[in-house]
Amino acid sequence: MDRNEKSIYDLNENGYPLLEEQYVSNEGEWFKWSSTGAIQLNDKKNPVVLMDTTFHDSEDISVMKIELIYNSADQVVAFTTMGLSEEQTSGQEWELYEKILLEYDSQGCCTAEIHYSWKEEEKDWIYSDRIDMIYDDKKNLISMIEWVDEDFIFEKYEYINFYSDDVSTSTEVIRDETILLHFSDHILTVTLQNSESGRLSVYSTSGKLVRRTPLTSALSSVSLHELNKGIYIIHVQTASDTLTNKIVIR
């Protein structure tokens, strides 16, 4: 498979940990697509508040704030994700929409359960999926599998870690990405790298087909305004490639 993403670890202007993720274009040029940096540490120098910035192809950016909780062994056992409210009028109004609970086995490998909230007043939480993470002997991630249920793998990543004096300096993510998705303001944009046509299917988390649309060009925009709030599985198929991804309509 192609190596088309990499992660670079550094320190920000405050000396706090910083993670920058990059992707490679069809021309072989690397671009930054997200940056996650700590803005607050606890008394053990562990990050407890992160700011995550994603840089979109449209030159827009989206910002999330992540708050982490640790156990006595300095392992992250839970974190919450907040985004900026779409209806903000002044200042930054953070809106809680995701929480993740983590458990560790005796080897230090981790299972994470993801829950989303989209009912603004009741703050009801719904289970979304599970992520299994496997680490090497230096405690760096080497494999991650995201499950919608026990029979359906949503995404699978493999990581190649590069070390300098036993310190991880960068990571390459191995993932085949011949179909690109971008979802914003209820519009799903599909870019087909190797084809001019395909089919888009949208499923609920229970497996019900709620939308099917033919794709008749390499670049297509599909409105999903008619769908209710919730988590949906996106499946794109062409003659040579397939992609499964997940979106949250809020």
Side-chain angles (χ1 to χ4, degrees):
M1 300 180 71
D2 296 331
R3 297 177 183 174
N4 50 29
E5 291 184 26
K6 65 180 179 181
S7 303
I8 300 174
Y9 303 92
D10 203 347
L11 300 177
N12 63 17
E13 62 274 10
N14 297 318
Y16 295 169
L18 177 69
L19 169 65
E20 181 178 292
E21 297 185 90
Q22 301 182 1
Y23 72 91
V24 66
S25 67
N26 291 334
E27 292 75 29
E29 185 175 358
W30 288 95
F31 293 91
K32 179 171 69 174
W33 72 273
S34 76
S35 177
T36 305
I39 62 171
Q40 183 179 336
L41 307 182
N42 62 16
D43 56 359
K44 294 184 178 180
K45 306 301 182 182
N46 293 319
V48 291
V49 181
L50 308 175
M51 295 296 289
D52 180 276
T53 303
T54 301
F55 305 90
H56 301 291
D57 293 340
S58 61
E59 299 186 357
D60 293 334
I61 65 171
S62 57
V63 181
M64 296 185 298
K65 183 167 71 170
I66 303 168
E67 297 183 349
L68 299 90
I69 300 173
Y70 294 83
N71 61 16
S72 59
D74 290 335
Q75 295 171 317
V76 177
V77 293
F79 63 86
T80 57
T81 304
M82 290 166 278
L84 292 176
S85 170
E86 297 178 358
E87 299 177 355
Q88 60 177 316
T89 55
S90 62
Q92 293 186 335
E93 299 295 331
W94 293 102
E95 183 177 318
L96 178 65
Y97 70 89
E98 178 188 58
K99 66 178 179 181
I100 299 181
L101 308 176
L102 299 94
E103 293 184 355
Y104 299 85
D105 63 19
S106 58
Q107 282 75 44
C109 296
C110 178
T111 294
E113 285 192 358
I114 303 175
H115 302 257
Y116 287 98
S117 171
W118 61 72
K119 293 185 178 180
E120 182 62 25
E121 295 181 0
E122 297 88 348
K123 286 298 180 188
D124 286 350
W125 292 95
I126 183 170
Y127 171 81
S128 167
D129 47 14
R130 187 188 86 233
I131 299 176
D132 293 333
M133 291 167 277
I134 301 174
Y135 297 83
D136 63 16
D137 57 1
K138 296 181 175 63
K139 306 301 183 183
N140 287 301
L141 188 65
I142 58 175
S143 177
M144 182 171 71
I145 303 175
E146 187 168 355
W147 302 81
V148 173
D149 56 41
E150 294 300 326
D151 300 317
F152 181 17
I153 293 179
F154 164 57
E155 281 186 317
K156 182 176 182 179
Y157 296 88
E158 295 179 1
Y159 298 80
I160 300 176
N161 296 302
F162 297 88
Y163 296 94
S164 175
D165 297 328
D166 283 339
V167 177
S168 178
T169 56
S170 65
T171 302
E172 287 191 5
V173 182
I174 303 175
R175 183 176 68 172
D176 191 17
E177 196 168 58
T178 55
I179 302 171
L180 304 177
L181 298 180
H182 179 256
F183 181 65
S184 178
D185 194 25
H186 292 81
I187 302 296
L188 183 66
T189 303
V190 184
T191 303
L192 307 178
Q193 307 278 46
N194 297 333
S195 180
E196 295 292 329
S197 63
R199 186 175 67 183
L200 166 72
S201 302
V202 183
Y203 298 87
S204 68
T205 53
S206 64
K208 179 181 179 182
L209 178 66
V210 296
R211 176 77 181 272
R212 176 163 285 167
T213 301
L215 304 174
T216 57
S217 66
L219 179 64
S220 302
S221 294
V222 180
S223 172
L224 300 179
H225 280 90
E226 78 279 8
L227 297 183
N228 296 325
K229 294 179 180 180
I231 303 167
Y232 294 90
I233 306 300
I234 307 298
H235 183 76
V236 179
Q237 184 172 9
T238 69
S240 58
D241 304 297
T242 60
L243 173 70
T244 302
N245 213 324
K246 176 181 59 179
I247 62 170
V248 179
I249 297 179
R250 307 176 63 234

